[in-house]
C-alpha cells in the first residue's frame, strides 16, 4: 500500500528526514516511536502534503501512485488521512457541515456522487455508534472549546466518516486521560480492516496496550533505526531511547 524509500525532507532549510525507508501493507498497523524532535510529525506532514515541507530526495508510492506528485486534496481523496497532533479549531464552522463538505470534496475528486443531507445523516448515525462521541459535539463549531480528549475523539470520528485507506495518527494519545485514551483506541480498533492501514505515531508505549501494532519502528534523527514487533515498544519503555542510540553508533 505504502512504500517510502530513502525519503529526505527539510523544513525551513533544515534537513529533518534523512533517508527514511518504510513499507506498509494493507491491513497492517505500524507504530512509529521516537524521541521528541526525531521527525515523526514531519513524516506525517510530508505524507499528507502539508505546505512548507520540501522533499529533497527519495520516493513515496501509495497504491502504485507517486504520492509526492499529488496535491494535498488529491492525497486525501486517494485515501490518506492525517489526524493532527494539535487539532485545529475552526470557529464559526459547524462540525457536521465541515465533515460533509470534506467528505463530498473527496467524493467529487474521485468522481463519485456527493451525499445529500439525508444520506450524510444516515452515515453519521452509523459512525456515531462506532465512535463513542456525543452528538452534541457535532452541532458545535469544529473543535471550538473542545477539551483535549474531545478534539482527539473528533479526529477519530472524522476518520470514521472519511473511511481512509491509510490513516496516520500523530500522537493522538498525547494529553489524554486513561478513559479518553481507551475510547480513542476503541474507535481505531473498530476501524481496523484488511483494506486499511494505520501509522500510529506515539511517544509512549501506553497507547500500544490498547492498539496492538503489527510492527513497531523507532524513528531517530530522521531515519527508521530499528524495527520489530510489539515487544520492541516494551523494550523502549524499559530502556528509553538512549538504548537505541547506544546500539547505533551513527546516532551517538
Ligand atoms: P517529532 O514529531 O518527532 O517530535 P517534528 O517532526 O515535529 O518531531 O520535528 C522535527 C524537527 O523539525 C524539530 O527539530 C523541529 O523543531 C523541526 N521543525 C518541525 N517543523 C518545523 C517548522 N515548521 N519550522 C521549523 N522547524 C520545524
Ligand atoms: Mg513532538
Ligand atoms: Mg510530533
Amino acid at each position: 500500500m505504502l512504500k517510502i524509500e530513502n525519503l529526505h525532507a527539510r523544513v525551513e532549510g533544515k534537513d529533518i528526514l534523512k533517508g527514511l525507508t518504510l513499507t506498509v501493507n494493507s491491513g497492517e498497523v505500524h507504530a512509529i516511536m521516537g524521541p521528541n524532535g526525531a521527525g515523526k510529525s514531519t513524516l506525517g506532514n510530508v505524507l499528507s502534503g502539508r505546505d512548507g515541507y520540501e522533499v529533497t530526495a527519495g520516493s513515496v508510492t501509495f497504491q502504485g501512485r507517486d504520492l509526492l506528485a499529488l496535491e494535498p486534496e488529491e492525497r486525501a481523496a486517494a485515501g490518506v488521512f492525517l489526524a493532527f497532533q494539535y487539532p485545529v479549531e475552526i470557529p464559526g464552522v459547524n462540525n457536521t457541515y465541515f465533515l460533509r463538505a470534506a467528505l463530498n470534496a473527496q467524493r467529487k475528486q474521485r468522481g463519485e456522487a456527493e451525499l445529500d443531507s439525508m444520506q450524510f445523516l444516515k452515515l453519521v448515525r452509523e459512525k456515531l455508534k462506532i465512535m463513542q462521541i456525543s452528538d452534541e459535539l457535532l452541532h458545535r463549531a469544529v473543535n471550538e472549546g473542545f477539551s483535549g480528549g474531545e478534539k482527539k475523539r473528533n479526529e477519530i470520528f472524522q476518520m470514521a466518516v472519511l473511511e481512509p485507506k491509510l490513516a496516520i495518527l500523530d500522537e493522538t494519545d498525547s494529553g489524554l486521560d486513561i478513559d479518553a485514551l481507551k475510547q480513542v483506541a476503541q474507535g481505531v480498533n473498530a476501524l481496523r480492516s484488511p483494506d486499511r492501514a494505520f501509522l500510529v505515531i506515539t511517544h509512549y508505549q501506553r497507547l500500544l496496550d490498547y492498539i496492538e501494532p503489527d510492527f513497531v519502528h523507532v524513528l531517530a534523527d530522521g531515519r527508521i533505526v530499528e524495527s520489530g514487533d510489539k515487544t520492541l515498544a516494551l523494550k523502549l519503555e524499559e530502556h528509553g531511547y538512549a538504548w537505541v542510540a547506544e546500539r547505533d553508533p551513527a546516532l551517538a
Side-chain angles (χ1 to χ4, degrees), residues 36-37 39-42 85-86 170-171 201:
N36 265 324
K40 302 185 298 299
S41 292
T42 300
Q85 182 167 3
Y86 305 106
D170 189 3
E171 298 206 25
I201 296 171

Side-chain angles (χ1 to χ4, degrees), residues 29-45:
V29 175
H30 291 243
I32 310 279
M33 302 183 72
N36 265 324
K40 302 185 298 299
S41 292
T42 300
L43 174 63
N45 287 327

Side-chain angles (χ1 to χ4, degrees), residues 98-107 115 120 123 161-162:
F98 172 80
L99 260 179
R100 187 176 154 209
L103 178 64
N104 277 337
Q106 293 191 6
R107 293 180 65 94
L115 298 187
F120 182 70
L123 178 72
V161 168
L162 296 174

